[in-house]
Amino acid sequence: MTAKPTDVLILTEDRYVQLDTKDWYQAQIAREEDLLASALGELGLRVARRSWADPAVDWTRCGCALFRSTWDYFDRFAEFSPWLERASTATRLFNDAGLIRWNVDKHYLADLAARGVAIVPTRFVERGEAASLAAIMAAEGWDEIVFKPAVSGAARLTFRVSRETVAAHEAVFARCVAQEAMMVQVFEPAVLDHGELSLVVIDGRSTHAIRKTPRAGDFRVQDDHGGTVHPHDPDAAERAFAEAAVAACPSLPLYARVDFVRTGLGVFRLMELELVEPELFFRFHPPAAQVLAQALAEKLR
């Protein structure tokens, strides 16, 4: 078999092809992806880095493509979806196209719940459906909620709503539902009290964890919204919950980040299961980059 010019193509997006390491956010991307590229290189794999949307890339000439900082896919979904189909016929994708298609739409949470994974209580509202936030809150007995699109990321169109503020959000919610499917979740105060836990799971086993907390006066834990990230030493119950959530996927992903909250002693609720382009926080545990590199290398043999 003819060798491919590139063994692993690390995928980013147009904004981050050339990284400005004087910017803290882009320096963070550079460090994370350098750790992974170095680990892959130490295994003798030839590594390059390109935007998923680069029209000059010949996907047949790389052994595989590994999603990393492709953080614009939900804003460019009309382009991303057909690209995913084309690329998946030309090279191997990690995670694979089937898992990505399943995971980009947060209806996957209902699938996981049906398979026994405890999720944050959620109601999906389909595009064009006649529904009001007040009616959903009354039917479910929820005093406070968060709503957001079913296909989204980086807290796009994400709102926290209470019974006192629901009327002021109905028009926004109606405009959103007219354009796309939405999800309504009960607000978990544990996010404010203890933060959101993120466990990284590679090839079915957890490697490390972090805890994300929102800035004062906010509920969004993403660092681009002022949230902060802290080291976290996961206990056995947290590891077991994260690994069970990953095991409930349609197939075992190469990598996953399991975001959840602890709502009581030994009680967890899944917020999201990130399989497309999750930040894996290698800077908090650099050996995990080597674990991912080794797992990927074994799949390419």
Side-chain angles (χ1 to χ4, degrees):
M1 183 174 66
T2 304
K4 304 285 188 180
T6 303
D7 295 311
V8 182
L9 201 60
I10 294 176
L11 297 181
T12 185
E13 58 166 278
D14 293 346
R15 287 178 296 177
Y16 303 130
V17 172
Q18 299 296 329
L19 292 167
D20 177 7
T21 55
K22 294 179 182 178
D23 175 81
W24 71 270
Y25 189 76
Q26 295 187 49
Q28 200 164 268
I29 297 171
R31 184 179 180 195
E32 295 280 329
E33 296 189 1
D34 284 350
L35 284 168
L36 181 56
S38 296
L40 291 165
E42 289 170 4
L43 295 174
L45 295 169
R46 294 159 298 180
V47 183
R49 186 172 176 274
R50 297 287 186 275
S51 169
W52 67 269
D54 187 343
V57 175
D58 182 352
W59 301 101
T60 66
R61 293 174 62 79
C62 61
C64 74
L66 181 68
F67 288 87
R68 291 311 319 122
S69 49
T70 54
W71 295 329
D72 63 345
Y73 80 87
F74 46 84
D75 291 322
R76 303 176 63 183
F77 198 69
E79 300 168 66
F80 179 81
S81 185
W83 169 84
L84 181 65
E85 298 305 315
R86 294 193 303 272
S88 66
T89 64
T91 190
R92 298 180 68 182
L93 301 178
F94 292 98
N95 287 312
D96 67 54
L99 277 175
I100 289 173
R101 282 191 295 269
W102 177 74
N103 190 238
V104 295
D105 188 322
K106 292 180 177 62
H107 282 81
Y108 73 81
L109 288 169
D111 294 341
L112 291 177
R115 295 168 189 161
V117 178
I119 69 169
V120 172
T122 302
R123 273 274 303 271
F124 289 97
V125 180
E126 304 308 323
R127 179 181 178 183
E129 183 179 339
S132 73
L133 293 173
I136 292 172
M137 294 174 74
E140 301 291 344
W142 296 341
D143 293 324
E144 195 166 12
I145 59 169
V146 171
F147 72 85
K148 56 188 173 182
V151 177
S152 188
R156 178 179 76 90
L157 293 176
T158 298
F159 298 89
R160 178 182 171 189
V161 181
S162 67
R163 288 189 181 273
E164 290 72 30
T165 63
V166 65
H169 287 86
E170 292 287 12
V172 174
F173 183 68
R175 286 196 297 270
C176 290
V177 172
Q179 298 296 321
E180 57 189 314
M182 301 293 290
M183 58 193 295
V184 181
Q185 295 182 307
V186 68
F187 178 72
E188 292 286 1
V191 172
L192 303 180
D193 298 336
H194 307 293
E196 180 178 294
L197 297 179
S198 290
L199 265 69
V200 175
V201 177
I202 297 172
D203 213 19
R205 300 295 299 273
S206 63
T207 57
H208 62 292
I210 55 93
R211 183 172 60 89
K212 296 175 286 187
T213 58
R215 69 179 180 183
D218 206 332
F219 67 98
R220 297 168 297 183
V221 298
Q222 293 85 354
D223 54 11
D224 43 354
H225 290 290
T228 52
V229 182
H230 312 271
H232 179 75
D233 184 17
D235 61 28
E238 291 165 351
R239 290 178 182 273
F241 179 82
E243 291 174 5
V246 171
C249 292
S251 61
L252 185 67
L254 174 65
Y255 60 83
R257 195 186 76 217
V258 187
D259 297 340
F260 61 99
V261 291
R262 181 190 292 268
T263 60
L265 183 61
V267 180
F268 309 108
R269 293 289 180 268
L270 181 70
M271 303 281 283
E272 294 194 35
L273 180 63
E274 299 277 6
L275 306 181
V276 183
E277 34 57 274
E279 187 174 3
L280 297 177
F281 299 100
F282 291 140
R283 63 190 182 276
F284 286 86
H285 188 66
Q290 297 171 333
V291 175
L292 178 56
Q294 185 64 52
L296 179 57
E298 290 176 2
K299 292 185 181 298
L300 295 178
R301 287 175 184 162

